[in-house]
Amino acid sequence: MGMQALEELTIERIIEEMAKQLYVADREIATALYLAIRLEKPLLIEGEPGCGKTEIAKVLSDMLDTELIRLQCYEGLDVSSTIYEWNYPKQLLYIKMMEGKKNPEEMEEEIFSEKFLLKRPLLKALLHDGPMPAVLLIDEIDRADEEFEGFLLEFLAEFQVTIPEIGTIKARKKPIVIITSNRTREIGEGLRRRCLYLYLTYPPREKELRIVKLKVSGISDRLAREVVEFVQRLRKEPDIFKKPGISETLDWAFALKALGIEELTPEVVKETLSVLLKSSDDIRNVNVEAILAEVKGYGGDGGDSQAGG
Amino acid sequence: MRCSVAETIDAANALKVIDLTRHEDVYTALKVTLAKSREAAMVFDRLMAELAGHGRSLGESLSRGGEGEGGDQTDKGDSEAEGSLTKKGERSIKASKRTKLSYSPTDVISRKRLRPPKPSEVVEGRRVVRRLRRRLALMEGRRYERSKKGELDIWKSVRSSYATLGEMLKFIKMRRKKTRTKIVLFVDVSGSMDSYSDWLLKTMHTICRYTHNVECFLFSTRLFRVTELLSKHSPDMVVELMWRWADMWGSGTKIGYCLDKFLRRYGEMVDKNTSVIIISDGWDTGEPRLLRRAMSELKERAGRVIWLNPYADKPSYRPLTIGMLTALPYIDVFAGTSVLNDMSSFVKVFGRSLKPLRRGEKIGIPRRQIRHTGW
């Protein structure tokens, strides 16, 4: 499994390998990833919630058979939780244990070594030593403060950090950096400029159908088509505020399959709608019967339109 | 859409590692290296479609651009700049309408009127805006940050005492982190607001250029985001660029529709720490039902809703338009537009205090007065 060297990577290969990891990547996504790896540039991914932004990083690390290092961003993120911290209790214990057995100089050198360093995600990514570079996922960067963004800018430019007691640590192998954002805050111009950029949106019907069939094994053809068609139409409804993403579609398909349902009926949809829509207003505003009627109408000549597309 | 030299180099490097015979790969390679936001990506798509439409191959067009042919350059500059303003679907409509509307009479009037603001006006405007921000500050924030003075941060102090054998030698203090107020500004540029266009331009420019965390939108029958345009260009350039979209100045108004569109597309911009400022006369040709829904949602999401109406400066003003009456229950601060002009008018409405307004505090034109209007 996996790839031997990054050099043999091609766009086709990425699509193929990602499909093996149950991720349906279109050529655009694959090309963006390919360029991010080849040019050693971070890839900034924005898009609607639940469209597989984070998933890309996970699949990429599986595909390259390398470590996924994840930094979940939040307000108030600081150096000690992103880069490193000394493991003080361990240092103290060590000093106590070695009292009288070692001379102080020796001890000092030892307790300020990598052994006593608590490595946080960014440092971990630098120290990663495998044959393949690590995948560093900086998730939801829009939740972190602007100061952190500034710091990150520096980090991504140099791929090195300085620890006073040890010195400067440079990346052994530049990690593949994936940054995701939900656009709750505009990301600064500087960071944008340094990254490659990809915007993910809801997938077209055919692609979503392929995703459902691939991910939900054993789902009947009919149910898969009806589920996807229903969700696609639901996204077009003007009264829905939080539109369901692919992850919701998949959750719904799983739920329906688990319930042993073979086809959609208004009752079934109403009972399970809360999997798809996450606010009571949205659930109230949906005209399930009307959408379902359209779905069934489409399903009738589904074969034709499939062939046509 | 602006591309730095570094980005151009990236694009060239990207082209080096892909198969140049595959059109779609070249397309994506240029897109991910040059278009760095959703809006920019959309502009990119349209530019490429345009190039394809001209029946030239990519290579040809690029070399033509390189020769610096006048016509081609202006054409490109035009559409590029337009993209930073506009959004998907609307762009194509606009592209087709632009030529059609360039000879409309209202358009000509607006073009004549627009002039860049004078420096003296800008200075006074800045003072007012700065004061406004202080008054609009919404909350202290729930998060704490490290500081020299303030409460003791027990958790961090204990954590740092690990380094000194559990002896707490360093006391780490914290205080509430001040969250910056965000402002979302909506400016009505429909026909009924035509005589205020100069003033509108000046106000938008002052607010966007001299303070942070501001988003600015123009609306008439459509909604346009102009934040970038305003914050990055000089006043003269803004006027110049505004000319090009003159078609939206002086048309009808669909406030409800535009606000609804905003909530759907940019809804995340508004939270409890956001003050929404709408500058409009409330002449709405859209459906009141839609306006009511949008306003109530805006009110629910935003910390404060402010409506500035140019007519409300006159003491005899009564809000009688359907749009105004519909929106009124959801407005916290209702006043005339003069509050943004000079400090004395500002103080009349917002008072002399520098403290933030209380949440939900209603100021401006007294509501009782409004109820007596026979509505």
Side-chain angles (χ1 to χ4, degrees), chain A residues 71-213:
Chain A
L71 176 64
Q72 178 70 46
C73 294
Y74 55 87
E75 218 182 313
L77 204 63
D78 58 358
V79 174
S80 62
S81 51
T82 53
I83 309 181
Y84 77 98
E85 197 173 11
W86 289 108
N87 192 346
Y88 298 121
K90 198 174 165 191
Q91 282 176 332
L92 289 172
L93 278 174
Y94 188 78
I95 294 171
K96 278 258 158 75
M97 263 161 53
M98 292 296 152
E99 237 166 12
K101 289 180 197 156
K102 278 188 177 173
N103 64 23
E105 285 82 34
E106 213 180 313
M107 208 130 79
E108 195 187 323
E109 198 155 295
E110 220 164 305
I111 60 170
F112 287 113
S113 64
E114 234 185 277
K115 222 166 93 188
F116 294 92
L117 206 58
L118 289 174
K119 295 174 207 102
R120 307 296 191 205
L122 293 186
L123 184 61
K124 241 193 208 159
L126 290 188
L127 293 173
H128 180 84
D129 210 6
M132 286 285 174
V135 175
L136 173 62
L137 168 65
I138 301 173
D139 214 3
E140 305 191 340
I141 176 106
D142 47 332
R143 287 185 198 282
D145 322 274
E146 274 157 53
E147 295 87 59
F148 178 71
E149 207 182 292
F151 162 75
L152 199 62
L153 214 64
E154 212 175 313
F155 176 83
L156 292 177
E158 308 285 331
F159 281 109
Q160 65 178 36
V161 292
T162 303
I163 300 172
E165 293 87 350
I166 297 182
T168 302
I169 298 180
K170 231 181 145 45
R172 292 177 190 161
K173 217 165 189 131
K174 272 192 189 173
I176 302 169
V177 185
I178 309 269
I179 305 174
T180 73
S181 158
N182 277 330
R183 284 169 65 102
T184 53
R185 168 173 78 77
E186 276 304 309
I187 306 302
E189 198 69 17
L191 190 61
R192 278 178 194 282
R193 265 206 306 273
R194 274 172 188 76
C195 298
L196 303 182
Y197 180 85
L198 183 65
Y199 190 88
L200 289 186
T201 180
Y202 303 116
R205 187 171 288 131
E206 304 304 318
K207 188 181 168 192
E208 193 164 22
L209 189 62
R210 259 168 59 214
I211 297 171
V212 170
K213 280 185 183 164

Side-chain angles (χ1 to χ4, degrees), chain A residues 27 34 145 192 195 238 241, chain B residues 17 25 36 177 264 301:
Chain A
R27 209 171 165 89
Y34 172 75
D145 322 274
R192 278 178 194 282
C195 298
F241 207 78
Chain B
V17 297
D25 289 359
K36 297 299 176 64
K177 193 172 170 181
R264 270 162 213 296
R301 285 173 166 236

Side-chain angles (χ1 to χ4, degrees), chain A residues 11-12 27-29 31-32 34-35 38-39 41 43-44 46 48 74-76 78 80 85-86 88-89 92 96 118 120 145-147 182-184 186 189 192-199 201 237-243 281 285, chain B residues 2 4 6-7 10 13-15 17-18 22 24-25 28-33 35-39 41 143 156 159-166 177 179-180 182 213 215 225 228 232 260 263-264 266-269 293 297 300-301:
Chain A
I11 297 168
E12 285 78 17
R27 209 171 165 89
E28 190 181 357
I29 297 177
T31 311
Y34 172 75
L35 288 174
R38 284 304 293 271
L39 303 182
K41 287 242 154 206
L43 176 63
L44 172 63
E46 288 188 327
E48 314 290 346
Y74 55 87
E75 218 182 313
D78 58 358
S80 62
E85 197 173 11
W86 289 108
Y88 298 121
L92 289 172
K96 278 258 158 75
L118 289 174
R120 307 296 191 205
D145 322 274
E146 274 157 53
E147 295 87 59
N182 277 330
R183 284 169 65 102
T184 53
E186 276 304 309
E189 198 69 17
R192 278 178 194 282
R193 265 206 306 273
R194 274 172 188 76
C195 298
L196 303 182
Y197 180 85
L198 183 65
Y199 190 88
T201 180
E237 287 290 303
D239 284 337
I240 305 299
F241 207 78
K242 272 263 175 290
K243 295 191 169 117
D281 275 353
N285 285 338
Chain B
R2 307 206 272 176
S4 65
E7 284 167 311
D10 284 345
N13 278 333
L15 291 178
V17 297
I18 58 160
R22 287 200 71 140
E24 50 189 315
D25 289 359
T28 313
L30 291 175
K31 191 171 169 181
V32 298
T33 47
K36 297 299 176 64
S37 69
R38 188 187 186 186
E39 285 77 19
R143 303 252 173 209
K156 283 233 171 87
R159 189 80 183 82
S160 77
S161 75
Y162 283 8
T164 49
L165 282 168
K177 193 172 170 181
T179 44
R180 280 185 231 154
K182 288 190 278 183
N213 288 354
E215 285 290 342
R225 186 175 175 197
E228 276 196 28
K232 284 187 186 150
D260 190 65
L263 285 165
R264 270 162 213 296
Y266 301 103
E268 320 87 49
M269 284 180 189
R293 200 180 71 182
E297 192 160 331
E300 211 167 276
R301 285 173 166 236

Side-chain angles (χ1 to χ4, degrees), chain B residues 20-78:
Chain B
L20 287 174
T21 57
R22 287 200 71 140
H23 177 257
E24 50 189 315
D25 289 359
V26 174
Y27 190 100
T28 313
L30 291 175
K31 191 171 169 181
V32 298
T33 47
L34 297 174
K36 297 299 176 64
S37 69
R38 188 187 186 186
E39 285 77 19
M42 284 166 178
V43 180
F44 183 88
D45 285 340
R46 199 179 61 99
L47 275 174
M48 289 308 245
E50 239 169 50
L51 283 180
H54 285 187
R56 294 181 242 148
S57 77
L58 183 62
E60 264 177 72
S61 329
L62 287 178
S63 63
R64 263 188 75 170
E67 285 158 30
E69 191 181 307
D72 203 80
Q73 291 263 314
T74 43
D75 183 313
K76 211 170 159 197
D78 190 343

Side-chain angles (χ1 to χ4, degrees), chain B residues 345-362:
Chain B
S345 324
F346 178 84
V347 167
K348 262 183 221 154
V349 176
F350 284 86
R352 288 201 177 276
S353 163
L354 286 175
K355 285 200 187 122
L357 289 169
R358 268 178 287 121
R359 188 182 292 280
E361 190 174 338
K362 303 227 169 198

